[in-house]
Amino acid sequence: MRLLTCTLGLRYGLVALLAALITLGCPRSKGGSWKLIHYENLSHAAALERIIFDEKENGWVLTWAELSRVSDHGKTWTPVLTNQNGQRTFYSFVFTSPTTGVVVGTQKKPDGYNILILQTSDGGKKWEERSADVKGETDRDKSPALQSIAFCDGKNGWAVGEHLILHTNDGGLTWLTQPAKLTGERLFTVACVNSERAWVAGSGGLLLQTNDGGNTWTRQETGTKGVLMQVRFFGANGWIVGGTNGLPVLLRTHNGGDSWQPQPLDVKVELFDIYFIGNDGWIAGQDGTILQTNDGGKTWLRQTTATAEDITSLFFLSPDIGWAGGNRMTLLRFSK
């Protein structure tokens, strides 16, 4: 996957200028501002796949290579999990409580390649590997991987990736595969609202839903062949973002996920994440794009971020305080 303020000086002036040119002429939101907190000007620096913060503005950030604790309002990073000399790759994580969390991805073992599930029950001090009924592969190109994880309560959750759907009903201690009739598509994202109802989405506009805890999955019409990168629910409201070849995809459900409608946007970038608190919402995408709505998603305006890096993840504590992560370990803080 894939992220500088105007005060960074001459060193980042060219990148800031590029971001300004990319967004020139687009309607601008005046609802708050974004400040650069962290950035690594290295070509190999990883993107932030997922970010979570608490009320004290401390939290966690995940790249493919490590999971780090962040403190001092995001300025101090302390690695907690690493990729162990390239043997592990991380893609997503979730905390179901301040002490219990799960990280998923892929890993290499002596007998081949397989999924990775690590769980902590003490706030990240100790991590234990969890098993699942997934067959490993000796061919690296066929290695199974988990791209996304979601819990709807402390016990029930799903993890998906590639052609896999895994389910747990004991808080992540054990995981079992569930049937999914895929015809070449890949799964990238999962969301659930209770122990019976969940959605998974991925390439080619693929969207599946279950109403029985994952015993059966049925396809839903999305009206697009674009890649669906993120599905999220905020109460009864659900959203999906994605895109292909610079064209965005934004889908919304008004009936709890029974059907989905496309919503046009006046941008030409792919979208990676979406986050809502009440009627306030944000969308993250390519080339430093962050869109904001204050009317529940009826209208969207571009916010100034002063970065040309792709923004890949969002997290908000309130309508006044939020965070965005992206390429080259970029971390931005939003405030009003």
Side-chain angles (χ1 to χ4, degrees):
M1 279 203 185
R2 329 18 149 166
L3 272 193
L4 310 159
T5 61
C6 295
T7 59
L8 286 178
L10 184 60
R11 180 180 179 187
Y12 302 125
L14 183 59
V15 178
L17 177 60
L18 176 60
L21 291 174
I22 289 172
T23 60
L24 188 63
C26 296
R28 295 284 178 168
S29 168
K30 297 181 180 179
S33 62
W34 291 91
K35 179 181 179 181
L36 181 73
I37 303 298
H38 188 274
Y39 172 77
E40 292 196 6
N41 190 26
L42 301 171
S43 59
H44 63 276
L48 300 189
E49 307 287 356
R50 194 79 180 263
I51 54 179
I52 294 177
F53 284 82
D54 61 24
E55 298 298 331
K56 296 181 180 179
E57 296 193 52
N58 299 317
W60 300 87
V61 297
L62 182 75
T63 73
W64 66 267
E66 64 183 38
L67 174 70
S68 297
R69 261 190 181 281
V70 291
S71 57
D72 190 23
H73 301 283
K75 298 177 183 177
T76 302
W77 298 37
T78 304
V80 173
L81 291 174
T82 67
N83 66 344
Q84 294 184 338
N85 298 318
Q87 303 301 297
R88 305 192 297 198
T89 303
F90 310 120
Y91 290 120
S92 186
F93 77 101
V94 66
F95 272 82
T96 58
S97 75
T99 57
T100 303
V102 183
V103 173
V104 297
T106 185
Q107 64 180 327
K108 180 182 179 181
K109 287 190 166 186
D111 59 345
Y113 300 88
N114 210 326
I115 61 169
L116 173 68
I117 304 175
L118 298 174
Q119 186 173 36
T120 181
S121 57
D122 59 7
K125 297 176 183 177
K126 180 181 178 182
W127 294 82
E128 297 181 349
E129 186 173 341
R130 304 303 185 202
S131 61
D133 59 339
V134 177
K135 182 181 178 181
E137 293 283 351
T138 57
D139 184 348
R140 181 175 182 175
D141 294 334
K142 297 180 181 179
S143 60
L146 295 174
Q147 301 278 348
S148 179
I149 184 171
F151 275 78
C152 45
D153 54 43
K155 294 293 185 180
N156 294 278
W158 280 267
V160 303
E162 304 293 332
H163 310 104
L164 291 171
I165 301 178
L166 302 185
H167 178 255
T168 180
N169 59 11
D170 58 10
L173 296 177
T174 59
W175 296 82
L176 296 175
T177 57
Q178 294 187 327
K181 297 179 180 179
L182 305 180
T183 56
E185 303 97 339
R186 301 169 61 194
L187 297 174
F188 296 127
T189 180
V190 58
C192 56
V193 295
N194 55 49
S195 61
E196 299 296 316
R197 199 110 197 258
W199 294 259
V200 299
S203 62
L206 174 69
L207 179 63
L208 305 177
Q209 72 163 341
T210 181
N211 293 307
D212 58 9
N215 293 318
T216 58
W217 292 87
T218 59
R219 291 188 179 235
Q220 291 187 286
E221 180 59 45
T222 61
T224 180
K225 294 298 183 181
V227 177
L228 304 183
M229 294 299 301
Q230 188 74 263
V231 53
R232 287 188 185 268
F233 273 80
F234 306 92
N237 297 311
W239 296 85
I240 300 174
V241 295
T244 301
N245 298 324
L247 297 177
V249 172
L250 176 62
L251 303 176
R252 181 178 185 176
T253 178
H254 294 277
N255 54 16
D258 290 335
S259 61
W260 298 79
Q261 297 77 39
Q263 184 168 338
L265 289 172
D266 190 23
V267 295
K268 293 185 178 180
V269 295
E270 296 167 28
L271 309 175
F272 304 128
D273 202 0
I274 187 167
Y275 208 99
F276 266 86
I277 294 183
N279 284 325
D280 294 283
W282 298 262
I283 295 175
Q286 287 179 311
D287 304 327
T289 298
I290 294 183
L291 306 177
Q292 183 187 33
T293 181
N294 301 118
D295 57 13
K298 296 177 183 178
T299 59
W300 295 88
L301 296 176
R302 188 190 293 266
Q303 292 192 301
T304 300
T305 60
T307 178
E309 300 294 343
D310 291 354
I311 301 178
T312 53
S313 53
L314 294 167
F315 185 85
F316 278 77
L317 291 168
S318 73
D320 301 331
I321 299 176
W323 304 83
N327 278 1
R328 300 193 183 185
M329 301 179 73
T330 297
L331 181 66
L332 304 168
R333 183 182 182 273
F334 173 84
S335 63
K336 286 186 179 180

